[in-house]
Amino acid sequence: MRRADRLFEIVQVLRRASKPLTADTIAKELETSRWTIYRDMAALVAQRIPIRSEAGVGYILERGFDLPPLMLTTDEIEAVTLGAQLVIANAEPALARAALDVRPRSPPSCPTTFTRSSTILSPAHCRRPGRGGMTGSTFKS
C-alpha cells in the first residue's frame, strides 16, 4: 500500500472508532507494523490532523474533523444514502465498511431520516408527494 493511501486509511480507521485505538490495533487492520503506524501518526500530526494520543491508551481523532462536504443535490444525497445503507445491511464486511465511510455525515440540507445510522431505508422512505419515487413493486432487495 502506498504511504498516501495508508495515511488516508489511518484517518478513516480513526473516524470509525468509538474509543482510542492502539498502534497495534491499527497496524493489524492495515496489515503493517506498529512502527510504521508511529511514523505515519507523526506525519499526520505534522500536517495538523487533530489526532490525540496517550501512551498505553491509544490514538483518537478529535470530534469535528471530517472530509470536506461534497456539493450534492438532495436527490443525490438520498441516492448515495440509500445505496450505502443497502450495502451496509447486505454486503460483505469490507464493502460494508467502505459504505460506512461514504455515508453522508448529516449535511444541513439532508433530512434526518436519511442520515440516521441505525435506519435502514425502505421504499417508503423514497416516496415523496408529487414526485413519484420508488414503489414497493419496483424496489428489489
Side-chain angles (χ1 to χ4, degrees):
M1 176 183 298
R2 292 180 325 151
R3 184 168 192 231
D5 294 334
R6 192 175 56 247
L7 293 173
F8 180 78
E9 284 301 315
I10 289 171
V11 172
Q12 292 295 84
V13 167
L14 291 173
R15 284 180 59 222
R16 285 191 301 264
S18 59
K19 61 182 182 176
L21 298 175
T22 65
D24 285 331
T25 302
I26 298 168
K28 284 178 189 169
E29 183 163 343
L30 300 181
E31 299 176 352
T32 191
S33 74
R34 126 177 93 162
W35 296 106
T36 299
I37 299 300
Y38 291 151
R39 283 190 302 273
D40 289 347
M41 288 297 186
L44 289 168
V45 169
Q47 293 297 316
R48 299 183 184 199
I49 305 297
I51 297 172
R52 293 185 312 166
S53 64
E54 186 173 329
V57 176
Y59 297 94
I60 192 159
L61 187 64
E62 290 184 14
R63 290 215 181 269
F65 180 79
D66 211 346
L67 299 174
L70 298 173
M71 299 303 291
L72 300 173
T73 67
T74 302
D75 288 340
E76 291 168 338
I77 291 169
E78 291 174 15
V80 168
T81 303
L82 175 62
Q85 290 196 359
L86 289 171
V87 169
I88 291 165
N90 299 305
E92 61 188 41
L95 192 55
R97 185 174 30 235
L100 283 168
D101 292 341
V102 170
R103 191 178 51 194
R105 303 283 183 231
S106 301
S109 62
C110 188
T112 57
T113 304
F114 293 99
T115 58
R116 282 190 215 128
S117 60
S118 61
T119 303
I120 301 298
L121 300 179
S122 68
H125 289 97
C126 300
R127 289 189 209 109
R128 282 185 277 183
R131 291 214 34 218
M134 295 177 145
T135 64
S137 62
T138 59
F139 181 81
K140 293 183 176 46
S141 54

